[in-house]
Amino acid sequence: GVLKPLEDDMRQESKMSDIRCLQLDEVAEVLGISLFTARRWASQRRIPTTRVGRRVLVREADLRRFVEERSQDARSDISA
């Protein structure tokens, strides 16, 4: 039907957002930390990263999960 191409586009867009990546300077800006700290966390594997050549990237989905896990930890610390 008419909606089939739209549904396919939406499905493709959803898959693409799973692989959208940020560079460490963008991660630092999003998290409100310094680039130095973002690099350190990446080298300590606190933030999951992917290497493409010399570039260190963080998948947007992984960054969201990182933030959600930290905010859950903070909430549990407050309620304790």
Side-chain angles (χ1 to χ4, degrees):
V2 175
L3 293 179
K4 180 81 171 106
L6 180 60
E7 290 171 353
D8 290 343
D9 286 349
M10 289 173 65
R11 234 180 269 115
Q12 182 66 24
E13 190 174 302
S14 139
K15 288 178 189 172
M16 290 304 290
S17 70
D18 289 344
I19 60 169
R20 186 169 298 146
C21 294
L22 301 170
Q23 294 183 43
L24 287 180
D25 61 330
E26 296 169 310
V27 170
E29 186 176 335
V30 167
L31 296 178
I33 59 176
S34 69
L35 178 57
F36 177 82
T37 299
R39 286 183 179 144
R40 185 165 32 96
W41 287 3
S43 71
Q44 294 170 343
R45 301 186 192 275
R46 291 176 65 180
I47 299 174
T49 60
T50 301
R51 283 197 165 273
V52 178
R54 296 182 65 192
R55 295 172 59 193
V56 178
L57 303 173
V58 178
R59 287 182 34 215
E60 189 175 281
D62 290 339
L63 185 59
R64 286 185 183 173
R65 194 172 310 110
F66 174 84
V67 170
E68 288 171 4
E69 288 171 358
R70 297 317 177 273
S71 59
Q72 288 174 359
D73 289 347
R75 280 194 297 263
S76 65
D77 287 347
I78 292 170
S79 63

